[in-house]
Amino acid sequence: AEAIKTGTLQDPSVVFWEAAGNYIQLEDGKTEAQKGHIDDPVTSRALAVRMAAQPEAQSMRDAGNVPVVKMRW
């Protein structure tokens, strides 16, 4: 949520933004998609943002012999 609020998360995926619009926080503090909606795009981006923030994180491009796949959105 913080990455979205601060504008540091920019995602061209319409599916992500639709899912984010239906993602809610429950009274007990847990989060989930509203009934009838999916939360996979939101949770996967949250994990990616968290992993990228780790001190030892590096881009796939810097990882050596890992092929870089260019995505078309």
Side-chain angles (χ1 to χ4, degrees), residues 10-72:
Q10 298 179 4
D11 195 309
S13 170
V14 173
V15 174
F16 168 77
W17 290 110
E18 286 176 358
N22 293 302
Y23 201 72
I24 58 172
Q25 184 171 15
L26 305 175
E27 290 181 18
D28 63 2
K30 294 180 181 177
T31 57
E32 65 181 26
Q34 293 180 28
K35 194 172 209 105
H37 296 277
I38 60 170
D39 63 0
D40 292 354
V42 177
T43 55
S44 65
R45 293 325 181 278
L47 288 170
V49 167
R50 188 172 190 156
M51 289 171 54
Q54 299 302 310
E56 60 276 353
Q58 62 182 1
S59 76
M60 291 298 287
R61 195 176 309 247
D62 298 333
N65 293 328
V66 178
V68 175
V69 178
K70 294 186 179 183
M71 301 298 291
R72 288 182 158 188

